[in-house]
Amino acid sequence: SQELEQSPQSLIVQEGKNLTINCTSSKTLYGLYWYKQKYGEGLIFLMMLQKGGEEKSHEKITAKLDEKKQQSSLHITASQPSHAGIYLCGAASGGSNYKLTFGKGTLLTVNP
Amino acid sequence: EPEVTQTPSHQVTQMGQEVILRCVPISNHLYFYWYRQILGQKVEFLVSFYNNEISEKSEIFDDQFSVERPDGSNFTLKIRSTKLEDSAMYFCASRPGLQETQYFGPGTRLLVL
C-alpha cells in the first residue's frame, strides 16, 4: 500500500517568513493533492499535480512535483496568520477509483 | 460556488445504535467517497461509489457499514451498530470525472458513548 511521509510534522514561523512543507511517497504518484484543514473542520482543496516536474501557484502558495513523481513540496511565500492550519498531501490511486491516501499532515502556526 | 454538504455536523449516539450520516455531493459529480479521521490521526479512505454501486472499500468498511444513494442528490453512510471506536470525523467527498479533484464536505463529527 502507498505511504506518504510529510515533513515537518509541525512548523512555527513568524508572519512574513517563507516556508516549505514536503511530502514523500513510497511509490510513484499518479496524482498528488494538497489540502488545508482547519482543526476539526473539512478539507479545503489547494492544488493538484499530475505530471513530473509540474509546478502550480495560487496566490502565495506554490506546489511542485518532482520529475520522478515521488516527492512534492508546498511553498508559502510571505506567510500570513490566515495560512495557519494543517496541510495534508494526498496521493491518488491509479485506475478509475482514484481514492486518496493521506499523509499525517503538517501543522503550521504563523505568529503575528 | 457549488460545495459538498453534510448533515448533521455533530452526532452523539449510544454504543449499539444505528446512525445515518448524510451527504449531498456536488450536482454534476459522478464519483462519491466516504473517509474518516479519528482524532489526531490520518484521514482514511472508507468506500468509493460509482454508477450506483460500491467500487472499492477498505478493511475498515465491514458489514456494519453500508452506503446508499437513495435519490439523485443524497449519499448516505449507515453504521448499523456503532462501537466506541467508530467515534471520528466522517467526510464525504465527490469528484466529477476521472483524475479530477475530489471536493470534501465539512464533515460530521460522530461521538459514540
Side-chain angles (χ1 to χ4, degrees):
Chain A
S1 63
Q2 187 152 34
E3 294 286 332
L4 290 180
E5 290 291 329
Q6 281 188 243
S7 62
Q9 287 187 341
S10 63
L11 191 53
I12 302 173
V13 300
Q14 207 64 31
E15 183 176 359
K17 295 294 185 184
N18 302 337
L19 63 105
T20 300
I21 298 168
N22 294 300
C23 176
T24 302
S25 172
S26 58
K27 298 182 180 180
T28 301
L29 293 159
Y30 287 96
L32 190 285
Y33 293 74
W34 284 99
Y35 291 87
K36 179 184 175 186
Q37 183 182 28
K38 290 282 180 87
Y39 184 76
E41 297 182 10
L43 280 64
I44 300 167
F45 169 72
L46 296 175
M47 272 171 276
M48 176 180 73
L49 304 164
Q50 289 184 299
K51 299 175 184 175
E54 188 173 10
E55 180 175 321
K56 288 186 177 178
S57 292
H58 177 67
E59 297 181 342
K60 294 185 178 181
I61 301 176
T62 300
K64 300 178 185 178
L65 183 61
D66 75 336
E67 290 289 344
K68 292 184 178 179
K69 296 175 64 175
Q70 284 194 277
Q71 191 163 12
S72 179
S73 61
L74 188 80
H75 184 77
I76 299 177
T77 304
S79 58
Q80 301 168 349
S82 60
H83 288 127
I86 301 168
Y87 288 82
L88 299 172
C89 63
S93 62
S96 61
N97 186 45
Y98 229 59
K99 70 181 185 211
L100 295 180
T101 300
F102 287 92
K104 288 184 177 179
T106 294
L107 174 61
L108 173 64
T109 303
V110 181
N111 290 327
Chain B
E1 186 174 328
E3 56 185 22
V4 177
T5 59
Q6 290 186 242
T7 54
S9 58
H10 294 80
Q11 172 107 36
V12 181
T13 189
Q14 295 291 323
M15 191 169 56
Q17 294 296 304
E18 174 183 288
V19 295
I20 297 177
L21 310 183
R22 303 181 192 280
C23 169
V24 179
I26 296 172
S27 64
N28 63 339
H29 286 194
L30 301 176
Y31 298 81
F32 313 110
Y33 304 83
W34 283 101
Y35 292 81
R36 80 172 185 189
Q37 185 179 33
I38 294 172
L39 191 63
Q41 297 188 22
K42 294 182 185 183
V43 176
E44 303 173 285
F45 166 77
L46 290 178
V47 66
S48 58
F49 193 86
Y50 170 71
N51 201 26
N52 285 320
E53 60 183 21
I54 291 173
S55 49
E56 187 174 347
K57 57 185 180 180
S58 72
E59 292 175 354
I60 303 167
F61 195 88
D62 61 21
D63 292 344
Q64 292 301 311
F65 290 87
S66 62
V67 289
E68 203 174 41
R69 189 158 161 79
D71 52 43
S73 59
N74 290 287
F75 180 50
T76 62
L77 174 69
K78 183 193 290 186
I79 309 174
R80 288 188 185 80
S81 178
T82 49
K83 304 171 191 169
L84 297 176
E85 54 265 36
D86 292 328
S87 295
M89 182 79 110
Y90 287 81
F91 294 108
C92 173
S94 69
R95 65 180 169 93
L98 284 176
Q99 297 184 8
E100 296 193 55
T101 299
Q102 283 187 36
Y103 293 92
F104 283 74
T108 293
R109 184 173 296 284
L110 175 66
L111 179 60
V112 182
L113 301 176

